[in-house]
Amino acid sequence: MIKVGILGATAYTSLELIKILLRHTGVEIAYLGIRRDEKPAISEIFPALEGRIDLKCKGIEPEDVPGDVKLIFATLPPTIAMRYIPGIVKLGVRVVDLSADYRFKEKDVYEKWYKAEHVDPDGIKTAVYGLPELFNNEIKNAQIIGNPGCYPTGTILGLAPLLKNGLIYSDDIIVDAKSGISGAGREPTDTTHYCERNENIEAYKVGCHRHTPEINHILSRVAGTDISIFFTPHLTPMSRGILNTTYAKIKDGVSHNDIQNVYDEAYQDKTFARVKTKGKLPRVLDVANSNYCDISFNIVDNRVIIVSCIDNLIKGAAGQAVQNMNIMLGLDETMGLL
Ligand SMILES: NC(=O)c1ccc[n+]([C@@H]2O[C@H](COP(=O)([O-])OP(=O)(O)OC[C@H]3O[C@@H](n4cnc5c(N)ncnc54)[C@H](OP(=O)(O)O)[C@@H]3O)[C@@H](O)[C@H]2O)c1
């Protein structure tokens, strides 16, 4: 069993990681780091884990990491993760970072959107964007993985085959996304308060959400040309799940079959990207608690309307992180995830 750990083990995404790793037959959780002064057993923080794991938490400094740990998942907030990850890498430990700190190649773009100086510029040069359906080969040998954001995962998987094959125009792409509240993490705020969310749906950060540059950055790489999407996220009264509806203009003569063919080519051997058969649409309920991204498309006049759907905590975070770990460790990509 390969020993792995979690830095920031009190996070929502950490609970999901622990649940997945406990049913994984190739790895064992050997380290759980938390910043709190008290270091209880993890089941005291997450009662759902009672009787399943009794590991006591430790601190989050490099010296707290046991010497036999080979890979660590960082579930710290953006701008915080990059303060700890270089110390972990110095130990020779590989890292899958769930924050945004290693998703960008351009330091200035990160700094503009995250309003903090990037303190590990060497790390971002070598880090790999961990979207396995697109970048599997690069992930294998990475020291640091920047695990994709939740909105970007579904959006990019929906658009990438069409942009890569030039079937849609690269301008005028509109993404309308709806997320469950766990996307905002564990700490309650005014906007995540039950009374604000229950029986309510609202748009937020119109045109200025931090996932916009991440989506543009990766889609530009895939398309080989600059992409700038219009992105409007919404908060919905669900605990988990994201549904993206994406509108793009198709090029003259592009048919339903052409689009079906590029999706088939891109995803037919990719377990976790499921393209729905004609007439069927993705639903949050069908991907909840799973690592699947469900995708559908419909042509309406000169537009294709793509619907893609994930569980933000699994394919949008912990599940995708384990998928990346499996690839890094040379294990079957699906281990622990089916
Ligand atoms: N939630 C999602 O759907 C989702 C999806 C994709 C990516 N992500 C990313 O994954 C990471 C974890 O997300 P989450 O939603 O699971 O987070 P979360 O539930 O809000 O937990 C955040 C974790 O970071 C710790 N922390 C906060 N401030 C810290 C500081 N200054 N120094 C050290 N530790 C600190 C917290 O410790 P305490 O418990 O002691 O406060 C907690 O362990 C974030 O970077 C997030 O952006 C989240």
Side-chain angles (χ1 to χ4, degrees):
M1 295 288 255
I2 300 166
K3 296 208 164 45
V4 300
I6 300 173
L7 193 66
T10 54
Y12 267 173
T13 52
S14 163
L15 174 60
E16 301 299 328
L17 273 167
I18 294 169
K19 287 188 201 161
I20 296 169
L21 294 170
L22 284 175
R23 58 172 189 260
H24 197 293
T25 51
V27 302
E28 180 188 339
I29 303 169
Y31 164 67
L32 296 168
I34 66 171
R35 68 163 168 174
R36 300 177 188 178
D37 293 337
E38 274 187 50
K39 308 285 189 243
I42 193 67
S43 56
E44 283 179 43
I45 292 166
F46 294 122
L49 298 175
E50 218 172 296
R52 300 174 68 188
I53 176 171
D54 62 0
L55 194 62
K56 231 169 129 27
C57 295
K58 294 186 167 188
I60 54 173
E61 299 301 331
E63 55 269 24
D64 296 308
V65 178
D68 51 359
V69 166
K70 301 287 180 230
L71 184 142
I72 282 183
F73 299 95
T75 58
L76 301 174
T79 76
I80 306 293
M82 63 182 169
R83 294 188 210 160
Y84 293 91
I85 287 173
I88 306 279
V89 170
K90 267 196 197 137
L91 300 173
V93 176
R94 299 170 85 188
V95 176
V96 179
D97 176 33
L98 279 76
S99 86
D101 288 358
Y102 292 87
R103 294 180 197 157
F104 292 85
K105 285 282 166 227
E106 297 92 350
K107 187 172 176 290
D108 56 330
V109 177
Y110 173 87
E111 290 178 347
K112 177 180 160 204
W113 286 85
Y114 286 86
K115 300 190 176 12
E117 188 194 347
H118 204 296
V119 297
D120 186 17
D122 291 338
I124 53 175
K125 275 187 209 142
T126 57
V128 169
Y129 191 74
L131 192 53
E133 285 72 18
L134 301 189
F135 306 119
N136 189 306
N137 283 338
E138 295 170 46
I139 292 165
K140 277 179 200 151
N141 298 315
Q143 179 71 40
I144 304 174
I145 291 288
N147 208 57
C150 46
Y151 286 125
T153 294
T155 305
I156 295 168
L157 289 177
L159 278 165
L162 307 192
L163 281 169
K164 189 176 168 207
N165 291 281
L167 300 191
I168 54 174
Y169 289 102
S170 55
D171 60 345
D172 203 19
I173 298 173
I174 297 163
V175 182
D176 175 287
K178 295 116 198 147
S179 175
I181 315 307
S182 60
R186 201 173 171 189
E187 197 170 332
T189 64
D190 285 352
T191 47
T192 60
H193 192 295
Y194 179 82
C195 301
E196 302 295 321
R197 295 278 54 87
N198 185 41
E199 298 293 337
N200 187 20
I201 175 165
E202 66 188 59
Y204 69 109
K205 295 190 180 164
V206 178
C208 61
H209 191 281
R210 297 199 288 198
H211 286 171
T212 313
E214 182 182 332
I215 296 168
N216 287 339
H217 180 61
I218 300 303
L219 288 180
S220 300
R221 227 179 113 184
V222 169
T225 184
D226 276 354
I227 304 289
S228 185
I229 60 153
F230 297 90
F231 178 62
T232 303
H234 299 75
L235 282 176
T236 66
M238 308 183 287
S239 297
R240 58 202 300 159
I242 290 182
L243 188 120
N244 297 303
T245 310
T246 300
Y247 305 80
K249 280 189 186 149
I250 50 176
K251 294 195 179 159
D252 283 350
V254 170
S255 67
H256 184 96
N257 274 354
D258 295 332
I259 295 181
Q260 184 71 54
N261 287 342
V262 298
Y263 276 123
D264 287 348
E265 192 193 342
Y267 298 140
Q268 65 192 354
D269 60 343
K270 305 284 189 279
T271 306
F272 297 116
R274 297 190 298 199
V275 181
K276 307 292 281 183
T277 51
K278 199 171 179 180
K280 301 216 166 124
L281 292 165
R283 307 185 317 158
V284 166
L285 264 184
D286 300 333
V287 296
N289 297 296
S290 88
N291 199 48
Y292 289 102
C293 174
D294 281 355
I295 301 167
S296 73
F297 71 93
N298 287 75
I299 295 178
V300 181
D301 296 334
N302 64 341
R303 289 195 186 260
V304 58
I305 303 174
I306 304 157
V307 179
S308 58
C309 194
I310 60 166
D311 183 323
N312 56 296
L313 290 171
I314 308 292
K315 183 59 176 164
Q320 185 137 269
V322 171
Q323 196 181 347
N324 279 312
M325 175 199 78
N326 287 338
I327 297 166
M328 293 164 86
L329 299 179
L331 304 172
D332 185 301
E333 190 174 328
T334 64
M335 270 178 95
L337 295 169
L338 291 176

Short mmCIF file of all heavy atoms in Angstrom, two decimals, residues 8-13 35-36 60 75-78 80 84 98-99 103 148 150 182-183 185-187 312-313 316-317, ligand 1:
data_model
loop_
_atom_site.label_atom_id
_atom_site.label_comp_id
_atom_site.label_asym_id
_atom_site.label_seq_id
_atom_site.Cartn_x
_atom_site.Cartn_y
_atom_site.Cartn_z
N GLY A 8 -4.82 19.97 5.33
CA GLY A 8 -6.08 20.73 5.41
C GLY A 8 -7.23 19.76 5.58
O GLY A 8 -8.28 19.90 4.94
N ALA A 9 -7.04 18.79 6.47
CA ALA A 9 -7.95 17.64 6.53
C ALA A 9 -9.34 17.97 7.07
O ALA A 9 -10.24 17.11 7.02
CB ALA A 9 -7.32 16.52 7.37
N THR A 10 -9.56 19.19 7.56
CA THR A 10 -10.91 19.53 8.04
C THR A 10 -11.82 20.03 6.91
O THR A 10 -12.98 20.35 7.14
CB THR A 10 -10.84 20.63 9.13
OG1 THR A 10 -10.10 21.73 8.60
CG2 THR A 10 -10.17 20.14 10.39
N ALA A 11 -11.29 20.13 5.69
CA ALA A 11 -12.07 20.70 4.57
C ALA A 11 -13.18 19.76 4.11
O ALA A 11 -13.08 18.54 4.27
CB ALA A 11 -11.13 20.98 3.39
N TYR A 12 -14.22 20.32 3.50
CA TYR A 12 -15.28 19.51 2.88
C TYR A 12 -14.69 18.52 1.89
O TYR A 12 -15.06 17.36 1.84
CB TYR A 12 -16.24 20.42 2.12
CG TYR A 12 -17.45 20.89 2.89
CD1 TYR A 12 -18.30 21.84 2.33
CD2 TYR A 12 -17.77 20.38 4.14
CE1 TYR A 12 -19.42 22.29 3.00
CE2 TYR A 12 -18.90 20.82 4.81
CZ TYR A 12 -19.72 21.78 4.24
OH TYR A 12 -20.84 22.21 4.90
N THR A 13 -13.77 19.02 1.05
CA THR A 13 -13.20 18.15 0.01
C THR A 13 -12.33 17.06 0.63
O THR A 13 -12.17 16.00 0.05
CB THR A 13 -12.36 18.97 -0.99
OG1 THR A 13 -11.43 19.76 -0.27
CG2 THR A 13 -13.23 19.86 -1.85
N ARG A 35 -4.68 22.78 10.78
CA ARG A 35 -4.02 23.95 11.38
C ARG A 35 -4.46 24.20 12.82
O ARG A 35 -3.85 24.98 13.54
CB ARG A 35 -4.33 25.19 10.55
CG ARG A 35 -5.79 25.61 10.61
CD ARG A 35 -5.97 27.02 10.15
NE ARG A 35 -7.37 27.33 9.92
CZ ARG A 35 -7.81 28.53 9.63
NH1 ARG A 35 -6.98 29.53 9.53
NH2 ARG A 35 -9.09 28.74 9.42
N ARG A 36 -5.54 23.57 13.26
CA ARG A 36 -6.10 23.85 14.59
C ARG A 36 -5.13 23.39 15.68
O ARG A 36 -4.38 22.44 15.49
CB ARG A 36 -7.44 23.12 14.75
CG ARG A 36 -8.44 23.58 13.71
CD ARG A 36 -9.75 22.83 13.82
NE ARG A 36 -10.60 23.18 12.69
CZ ARG A 36 -11.80 22.66 12.45
NH1 ARG A 36 -12.29 21.77 13.28
NH2 ARG A 36 -12.50 23.03 11.42
N ILE A 60 0.50 21.08 10.07
CA ILE A 60 0.57 21.21 8.60
C ILE A 60 1.95 21.67 8.13
O ILE A 60 2.10 22.12 6.99
CB ILE A 60 -0.53 22.17 8.06
CG1 ILE A 60 -0.49 23.53 8.76
CG2 ILE A 60 -1.89 21.53 8.16
CD1 ILE A 60 -1.43 24.56 8.14
N THR A 75 -5.79 20.52 0.53
CA THR A 75 -7.16 21.04 0.45
C THR A 75 -7.26 22.38 1.20
O THR A 75 -8.26 22.67 1.85
CB THR A 75 -8.17 20.01 1.03
OG1 THR A 75 -7.79 19.73 2.39
CG2 THR A 75 -8.18 18.72 0.25
N LEU A 76 -6.21 23.15 1.09
CA LEU A 76 -6.18 24.49 1.71
C LEU A 76 -6.75 25.51 0.72
O LEU A 76 -6.81 25.26 -0.47
CB LEU A 76 -4.74 24.86 2.06
CG LEU A 76 -4.01 23.92 3.02
CD1 LEU A 76 -2.55 24.32 3.15
CD2 LEU A 76 -4.69 23.91 4.38
N PRO A 77 -7.14 26.70 1.22
CA PRO A 77 -7.69 27.71 0.30
C PRO A 77 -6.61 28.23 -0.65
O PRO A 77 -5.41 28.16 -0.35
CB PRO A 77 -8.13 28.84 1.26
CG PRO A 77 -8.18 28.23 2.61
CD PRO A 77 -7.18 27.12 2.63
N PRO A 78 -7.06 28.79 -1.80
CA PRO A 78 -6.10 29.44 -2.69
C PRO A 78 -5.38 30.56 -1.93
O PRO A 78 -5.96 31.17 -1.01
CB PRO A 78 -6.97 30.02 -3.82
CG PRO A 78 -8.38 29.86 -3.39
CD PRO A 78 -8.44 28.87 -2.30
N ILE A 80 -3.22 30.25 0.22
CA ILE A 80 -2.64 29.62 1.42
C ILE A 80 -1.84 28.38 1.01
O ILE A 80 -0.73 28.15 1.49
CB ILE A 80 -3.74 29.20 2.43
CG1 ILE A 80 -4.67 30.37 2.78
CG2 ILE A 80 -3.12 28.57 3.67
CD1 ILE A 80 -4.04 31.48 3.57
N TYR A 84 2.60 26.34 1.71
CA TYR A 84 3.00 25.07 2.32
C TYR A 84 3.56 24.07 1.31
O TYR A 84 4.37 23.21 1.67
CB TYR A 84 1.78 24.44 3.04
CG TYR A 84 1.35 25.27 4.24
CD1 TYR A 84 0.40 26.27 4.10
CD2 TYR A 84 1.93 25.07 5.48
CE1 TYR A 84 0.02 27.05 5.19
CE2 TYR A 84 1.57 25.84 6.57
CZ TYR A 84 0.60 26.83 6.42
OH TYR A 84 0.24 27.60 7.49
N LEU A 98 -5.69 21.03 -4.59
CA LEU A 98 -7.07 21.28 -5.01
C LEU A 98 -7.38 22.77 -5.14
O LEU A 98 -8.43 23.14 -5.65
CB LEU A 98 -8.06 20.61 -4.04
CG LEU A 98 -8.27 19.11 -4.30
CD1 LEU A 98 -7.11 18.28 -3.80
CD2 LEU A 98 -9.56 18.61 -3.67
N SER A 99 -6.49 23.63 -4.69
CA SER A 99 -6.74 25.07 -4.81
C SER A 99 -6.34 25.55 -6.20
O SER A 99 -5.92 24.77 -7.05
CB SER A 99 -5.92 25.82 -3.76
OG SER A 99 -4.61 26.10 -4.24
N ARG A 103 -2.76 26.23 -10.93
CA ARG A 103 -3.51 26.00 -12.18
C ARG A 103 -3.07 26.92 -13.31
O ARG A 103 -3.40 26.69 -14.46
CB ARG A 103 -5.01 26.23 -11.94
CG ARG A 103 -5.64 25.25 -11.01
CD ARG A 103 -7.12 25.58 -10.83
NE ARG A 103 -7.67 24.91 -9.66
CZ ARG A 103 -8.74 25.33 -9.01
NH1 ARG A 103 -9.39 26.41 -9.41
NH2 ARG A 103 -9.18 24.66 -7.95
N PRO A 148 -8.10 20.87 -11.33
CA PRO A 148 -8.97 21.90 -11.90
C PRO A 148 -10.08 22.38 -10.97
O PRO A 148 -10.52 21.65 -10.08
CB PRO A 148 -9.57 21.19 -13.12
CG PRO A 148 -8.60 20.15 -13.48
CD PRO A 148 -8.04 19.66 -12.17
N CYS A 150 -14.00 23.57 -10.05
CA CYS A 150 -15.24 22.82 -10.29
C CYS A 150 -15.98 23.34 -11.52
O CYS A 150 -16.32 22.55 -12.41
CB CYS A 150 -16.12 22.86 -9.05
SG CYS A 150 -16.30 24.49 -8.31
N SER A 182 -22.01 23.72 -1.48
CA SER A 182 -20.74 23.20 -0.96
C SER A 182 -19.55 23.70 -1.77
O SER A 182 -18.41 23.64 -1.30
CB SER A 182 -20.75 21.67 -0.92
OG SER A 182 -20.94 21.16 -2.23
N GLY A 183 -19.82 24.22 -2.98
CA GLY A 183 -18.75 24.82 -3.78
C GLY A 183 -18.05 25.95 -3.06
O GLY A 183 -16.90 26.29 -3.37
N GLY A 185 -17.28 25.94 0.10
CA GLY A 185 -16.49 25.47 1.24
C GLY A 185 -17.30 25.40 2.52
O GLY A 185 -18.51 25.61 2.53
N ARG A 186 -16.58 25.16 3.62
CA ARG A 186 -17.20 24.79 4.88
C ARG A 186 -17.62 25.98 5.73
O ARG A 186 -18.60 25.91 6.49
CB ARG A 186 -16.18 23.95 5.65
CG ARG A 186 -16.80 23.11 6.69
CD ARG A 186 -15.82 22.17 7.31
NE ARG A 186 -16.47 21.57 8.45
CZ ARG A 186 -15.89 20.82 9.33
NH1 ARG A 186 -14.61 20.54 9.20
NH2 ARG A 186 -16.55 20.33 10.34
N GLU A 187 -16.88 27.06 5.62
CA GLU A 187 -17.14 28.19 6.52
C GLU A 187 -18.40 28.95 6.08
O GLU A 187 -18.47 29.45 4.96
CB GLU A 187 -15.94 29.15 6.52
CG GLU A 187 -15.98 30.07 7.70
CD GLU A 187 -14.68 30.84 7.84
OE1 GLU A 187 -13.62 30.34 7.43
OE2 GLU A 187 -14.74 31.95 8.35
N ASN A 312 -19.56 18.78 -7.82
CA ASN A 312 -18.43 19.71 -7.59
C ASN A 312 -17.41 19.15 -6.60
O ASN A 312 -16.21 19.41 -6.71
CB ASN A 312 -18.93 21.07 -7.09
CG ASN A 312 -19.77 20.99 -5.84
OD1 ASN A 312 -20.85 20.40 -5.87
ND2 ASN A 312 -19.28 21.54 -4.75
N LEU A 313 -17.88 18.35 -5.63
CA LEU A 313 -16.95 17.84 -4.61
C LEU A 313 -16.19 16.60 -5.10
O LEU A 313 -15.17 16.24 -4.54
CB LEU A 313 -17.71 17.48 -3.33
CG LEU A 313 -18.26 18.67 -2.54
CD1 LEU A 313 -19.19 18.18 -1.42
CD2 LEU A 313 -17.15 19.52 -1.94
N GLY A 316 -15.39 17.55 -9.56
CA GLY A 316 -14.90 18.93 -9.48
C GLY A 316 -13.83 19.13 -8.42
O GLY A 316 -13.32 20.24 -8.25
N ALA A 317 -13.45 18.08 -7.67
CA ALA A 317 -12.44 18.25 -6.61
C ALA A 317 -11.82 16.89 -6.22
O ALA A 317 -10.86 16.44 -6.85
CB ALA A 317 -13.06 18.95 -5.40
N1 LIG B 1 -15.78 22.95 -2.34
C1 LIG B 1 -15.64 22.65 -3.62
O1 LIG B 1 -16.60 22.23 -4.30
C2 LIG B 1 -14.31 22.79 -4.29
C3 LIG B 1 -14.20 22.37 -5.63
C4 LIG B 1 -12.96 22.48 -6.28
C5 LIG B 1 -11.88 23.03 -5.60
N2 LIG B 1 -12.03 23.46 -4.32
C6 LIG B 1 -10.84 24.01 -3.66
O2 LIG B 1 -10.36 23.00 -2.77
C7 LIG B 1 -9.81 23.61 -1.59
C8 LIG B 1 -10.61 23.11 -0.40
O3 LIG B 1 -11.97 23.48 -0.59
P1 LIG B 1 -13.08 23.15 0.48
O4 LIG B 1 -14.35 23.70 -0.07
O5 LIG B 1 -13.01 21.74 0.88
O6 LIG B 1 -12.57 24.07 1.69
P2 LIG B 1 -13.16 24.29 3.14
O7 LIG B 1 -14.19 23.27 3.45
O8 LIG B 1 -13.56 25.72 3.23
O9 LIG B 1 -11.87 24.04 4.05
C9 LIG B 1 -10.74 24.84 3.94
C10 LIG B 1 -9.58 24.19 4.69
O10 LIG B 1 -8.47 25.09 4.72
C11 LIG B 1 -8.11 25.35 6.09
N3 LIG B 1 -7.65 26.74 6.21
C12 LIG B 1 -8.40 27.85 6.01
N4 LIG B 1 -7.62 28.95 6.18
C13 LIG B 1 -6.38 28.51 6.48
C14 LIG B 1 -5.14 29.15 6.79
N5 LIG B 1 -5.04 30.48 6.80
N6 LIG B 1 -4.06 28.38 7.06
C15 LIG B 1 -4.14 27.03 7.04
N7 LIG B 1 -5.29 26.35 6.78
C16 LIG B 1 -6.40 27.09 6.50
C17 LIG B 1 -9.38 25.08 6.89
O11 LIG B 1 -9.04 24.83 8.23
P3 LIG B 1 -10.13 25.08 9.40
O12 LIG B 1 -11.14 23.98 9.31
O13 LIG B 1 -9.30 25.00 10.63
O14 LIG B 1 -10.72 26.43 9.16
C18 LIG B 1 -9.90 23.84 6.13
O15 LIG B 1 -9.15 22.71 6.47
C19 LIG B 1 -9.94 25.12 -1.80
O16 LIG B 1 -8.75 25.62 -2.34
C20 LIG B 1 -11.07 25.24 -2.82
O17 LIG B 1 -10.97 26.42 -3.60
C21 LIG B 1 -13.21 23.33 -3.65
#
